Amino acid sequence: MAQLYFYYSAMNAGKSTSLLQSSYNYNERGMRTLIFTAAIDTRFAKGKVTSRIGLSADALLFSDDMNIRDAILAENNKEPIHCVLIDECQFLTKAHVEQLCEITDSYDIPVLTYGLRTDFRGELFTGSAYLLAWADKLVELKTVCYCGRKANKVLRLAANGKVLSDGAQVEIGGNEKYVSVCRKHYTEATLKGRIEQL
């Protein structure tokens, strides 16, 4: 039976690399995968999932007003899909997650989602909240803080290196804007307004 998976972590834990490896494993066995990524994420080429280590693959874009179930079924009608993989799943809506549950339960297609659990304030993203609530399998991908502990928080930095504690939940960026840290160093940095060591 197909299942809905949520692979989550702080930034720079290899989520996109893991997604691309999973897709490759299916493709190597002659199975077709369908990859989605968020239209809002403009860091790399549009319509691509790209990892920091240089791997990439073409992807369909999802946006808030898209019916992701219909998009998957349209592709499945052309040629059977054996697995759906979604990068940047924190940007999914509640309706998207409901539709992915239906794809898994009614059409027996496994869905693997990859994304952040929380934002720079430690608040859940909408997509992540519903995936935590409804996914069949939750898998934490780990990365490390500069101190060597497990990093489970993300700091947002201003251009001058100051730690930001307010602002819009979504602000696209990479290593120039965000850093993954452990809870201890997250708390220290937010209290002091700066990160001690990088």
Side-chain angles (χ1 to χ4, degrees), residues 10 16 36-37 45 51 54 57 70-71 90-91 111 123 125 131 136 138 159 177 188 191 193 195-197:
S16 297
F36 286 89
T37 192
S51 73
D70 289 352
Q90 69 269 14
F91 299 130
V111 177
E123 302 290 331
F125 285 97
L131 286 164
D136 299 298
L138 304 174
K177 195 172 284 187
E188 286 178 4
L191 289 173
I195 191 162
E196 293 295 318
Q197 178 182 348

Side-chain angles (χ1 to χ4, degrees), residues 12-72:
N12 298 330
K15 294 179 295 296
S16 297
T17 302
S18 181
L19 179 152
L20 293 167
Q21 180 66 53
S22 294
S23 181
Y24 177 84
N25 291 345
Y26 274 93
N27 297 161
E28 190 178 39
R29 287 157 182 79
M31 298 180 195
R32 182 178 181 223
T33 59
L34 189 60
I35 301 174
F36 286 89
T37 192
I40 193 171
D41 187 356
T42 57
R43 290 175 297 159
F44 304 108
K46 206 168 190 121
K48 287 249 186 224
V49 170
T50 303
S51 73
R52 290 178 299 116
I53 63 171
L55 303 174
S56 67
D58 291 334
L60 299 175
L61 298 174
F62 70 83
S63 57
D64 287 355
D65 59 352
M66 176 188 197
N67 185 313
I68 205 163
R69 176 195 55 232
D70 289 352
I72 293 167

Side-chain angles (χ1 to χ4, degrees), residues 102-120:
E102 183 181 348
I103 288 296
T104 302
D105 298 340
S106 299
Y107 297 92
D108 203 32
I109 300 172
V111 177
L112 285 60
T113 65
Y114 297 79
L116 300 173
R117 182 177 56 168
T118 57
D119 65 15
F120 73 105

Side-chain angles (χ1 to χ4, degrees), residues 40-177:
I40 193 171
D41 187 356
T42 57
R43 290 175 297 159
F44 304 108
K46 206 168 190 121
K48 287 249 186 224
V49 170
T50 303
S51 73
R52 290 178 299 116
I53 63 171
L55 303 174
S56 67
D58 291 334
L60 299 175
L61 298 174
F62 70 83
S63 57
D64 287 355
D65 59 352
M66 176 188 197
N67 185 313
I68 205 163
R69 176 195 55 232
D70 289 352
I72 293 167
L73 293 179
E75 287 294 322
N76 193 51
N77 286 336
K78 293 178 193 173
E79 184 183 344
I81 294 168
H82 298 92
C83 184
V84 174
L85 302 108
I86 301 181
D87 200 29
E88 305 295 345
C89 67
Q90 69 269 14
F91 299 130
L92 293 169
T93 64
K94 178 182 180 183
H96 288 147
V97 179
E98 289 173 331
Q99 292 162 11
L100 294 173
C101 288
E102 183 181 348
I103 288 296
T104 302
D105 298 340
S106 299
Y107 297 92
D108 203 32
I109 300 172
V111 177
L112 285 60
T113 65
Y114 297 79
L116 300 173
R117 182 177 56 168
T118 57
D119 65 15
F120 73 105
R121 296 170 302 200
E123 302 290 331
L124 290 170
F125 285 97
T126 299
S128 304
Y130 287 103
L131 286 164
L132 285 167
W134 298 339
D136 299 298
K137 300 279 186 187
L138 304 174
V139 181
E140 183 180 20
L141 301 175
K142 296 175 180 67
T143 190
V144 293
C145 178
Y146 62 84
C147 70
R149 290 188 185 108
K150 179 178 88 168
N152 58 1
K153 298 273 193 172
V154 177
L155 293 168
R156 181 185 287 171
L157 306 176
N160 63 3
K162 182 181 178 210
V163 172
L164 301 174
S165 56
D166 289 317
Q169 183 179 49
V170 177
E171 190 172 312
I172 303 301
N175 293 344
E176 80 289 350
K177 195 172 284 187

